[in-house]
């Protein structure tokens, strides 16, 4: 287990990718921008045929200072979302895990809010938050109708 920084629990953020080149850098930047500091970044790619892995490697090399630890896992065959997530989560060393897909974004305070919440509710094993759906129109991000879903437990 990796040592906690400033008594903060380590949070692993596994990013699962497959042909995510179009969005993955924005996903990684949203993780880098977290107000919470004690983060381990795991990227697991499921045999992308685009340049997802190359983009991730370059980004991690330039930004690894931000994270307690970084790891990129690749697969030689496409195994599907579940197997890719299982590979990523098996590599996680954190006390908490916040998975994300390579085309999703985290709000800047997402991890901090989750950690504060679980500290207040130490008996909880799983915590889910709200999601805000969006799409792209004319190259700009726009919210979809019915954009907030609450999956809190």
């Amino acid at each position: 287990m990796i040592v906690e920084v400033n008594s903060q629990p380590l949070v692993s953020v596994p990013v699962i990718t497959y042909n995510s080149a179009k969005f993955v850098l924005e996903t990684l930047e949203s993780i880098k921008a977290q107000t919470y500091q004690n983060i381990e970044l795991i990227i697991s790619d499921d045999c992308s045929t685009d340049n997802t892995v190359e983009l991730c490697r370059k980004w991690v090399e330039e930004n690894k200072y931000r994270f307690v630890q970084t790891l990129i896992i690749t697969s030689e065959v496409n195994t599907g979302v579940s197997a890719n997530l299982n590979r990523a989560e098996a590599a996680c060393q954190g006390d908490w895990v916040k998975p994300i897909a390579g085309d999703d974004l985290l709000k800047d305070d997402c991890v901090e809010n989750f950690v504060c919440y679980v500290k207040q509710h130490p008996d909880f094993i799983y915590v889910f938050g709200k999601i805000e759906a969006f799409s792209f129109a004319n190259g700009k991000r726009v919210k979809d109708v019915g954009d907030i879903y609450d999956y809190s437990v």
Side-chain angles (χ1 to χ4, degrees), residues 2 10-11 22 27 29 35 37 39 41 48-50 52 62 65 70 75 77 80 90-92 95 99 147:
I2 296 174
L10 179 65
V11 176
K22 185 174 180 180
T27 299
E29 286 293 328
T35 55
Q37 294 303 302
I39 295 175
L41 176 66
S48 288
T49 57
D50 65 5
T52 298
E62 294 170 358
Y65 67 89
T70 58
S75 177
V77 295
C92 293
D95 299 303
D147 60 341

Side-chain angles (χ1 to χ4, degrees), residues 115-152:
V115 170
C116 288
Y117 191 83
V118 297
K119 282 184 173 182
Q120 294 171 2
H121 302 88
D123 294 337
F124 282 22
I125 298 171
Y126 298 98
V127 177
F128 299 89
K130 294 180 180 182
I131 64 168
E132 188 175 293
F134 61 87
S135 61
F136 285 89
N138 300 321
K140 294 186 179 189
R141 189 175 333 156
V142 293
K143 288 185 179 183
D144 289 337
V145 176
D147 60 341
I148 301 295
Y149 306 93
D150 189 352
Y151 293 107
S152 300

Side-chain angles (χ1 to χ4, degrees), residues 4-152:
E4 296 178 354
V5 174
N6 299 325
S7 300
Q8 294 180 324
L10 179 65
V11 176
S12 297
V13 179
V15 180
I16 57 168
T17 61
Y18 174 70
N19 290 342
S20 304
K22 185 174 180 180
F23 301 108
V24 72
L25 294 180
E26 192 173 7
T27 299
L28 295 173
E29 286 293 328
S30 79
I31 301 165
K32 177 183 169 186
Q34 291 301 296
T35 55
Y36 191 82
Q37 294 303 302
N38 201 21
I39 295 175
E40 169 191 50
L41 176 66
I42 308 289
I43 301 168
S44 183
D45 185 76
D46 199 22
C47 197
S48 288
T49 57
D50 65 5
N51 65 334
T52 298
V53 174
E54 293 81 13
L55 288 172
C56 289
R57 283 191 174 127
K58 184 174 190 260
W59 188 91
V60 165
E61 185 58 36
E62 294 170 358
N63 295 281
K64 63 185 175 186
Y65 67 89
R66 163 59 179 91
F67 303 97
V68 172
Q69 175 172 289
T70 58
L71 177 64
I72 298 176
I73 302 166
T74 59
S75 177
E76 293 185 15
V77 295
N78 183 272
T79 58
V81 174
S82 297
N84 195 18
L85 183 57
N86 288 341
R87 272 191 302 277
E89 289 191 356
C92 293
Q93 297 184 44
D95 299 303
W96 291 95
V97 177
K98 174 58 182 119
I100 184 170
D103 61 353
D104 291 341
L105 302 172
L106 294 178
K107 290 189 173 187
D108 292 354
D109 59 354
C110 175
V111 174
E112 182 175 7
N113 287 341
F114 275 124
V115 170
C116 288
Y117 191 83
V118 297
K119 282 184 173 182
Q120 294 171 2
H121 302 88
D123 294 337
F124 282 22
I125 298 171
Y126 298 98
V127 177
F128 299 89
K130 294 180 180 182
I131 64 168
E132 188 175 293
F134 61 87
S135 61
F136 285 89
N138 300 321
K140 294 186 179 189
R141 189 175 333 156
V142 293
K143 288 185 179 183
D144 289 337
V145 176
D147 60 341
I148 301 295
Y149 306 93
D150 189 352
Y151 293 107
S152 300

